[in-house]
Amino acid sequence: LLMVQSAGDHCNPERDAVALYRALHVDERFLLLLRTAQHRSPFDGTDEPAFNLVTATSIRFLRLSVRDAPMGAGFVAYGDRNPAVGAVYTAPPITPELSPNCGPS
């Protein structure tokens, strides 16, 4: 399982994604937490660094999954290669709650 969540997402709060992540019991699960991206920006082209990290990490995840290869620490390190943009967690942190504001970003 690979979940992608933006720490700055005001539409889908990080705490909800972390709760869902913790509730799912699968052998290998990872959370790609984007540091500053908003709700759509990693997917609509307005945040190129976040888009690049999501794309590269997702492709790597899918390639390893298709091969039924173990991911572990190597996958986490791959997703952590740009720590200013995001990081991959197997035990995600809980960050302060953001005020709900699901604006245009």
Side-chain angles (χ1 to χ4, degrees):
L1 171 72
L2 174 62
M3 291 179 62
V4 177
Q5 174 67 36
S6 298
D9 191 329
H10 294 288
C11 295
N12 179 32
E14 179 185 347
R15 71 183 183 295
D16 292 347
V18 170
L20 174 62
Y21 179 89
R22 290 183 174 155
L24 298 170
H25 300 286
V26 296
D27 291 337
E28 287 190 301
R29 60 185 176 160
F30 305 92
L31 175 69
L32 172 56
L33 183 61
L34 303 170
R35 305 266 186 240
T36 59
Q38 294 297 314
H39 186 68
R40 292 187 314 223
S41 62
F43 309 103
D44 67 6
T46 59
D47 186 337
E48 188 173 338
F51 174 82
N52 291 340
L53 184 60
V54 169
T55 301
T57 305
S58 297
I59 289 170
R60 176 73 165 216
F61 179 83
L62 291 171
R63 284 184 176 154
L64 290 169
S65 295
V66 167
R67 293 182 193 143
D68 201 25
M71 294 185 205
F75 178 71
V76 171
Y78 184 85
D80 288 353
R81 67 185 191 281
N82 194 345
V85 177
V88 173
Y89 294 92
T90 57
I94 297 177
T95 58
E97 186 171 326
L98 300 171
S99 60
N101 176 9
C102 194
S105 51

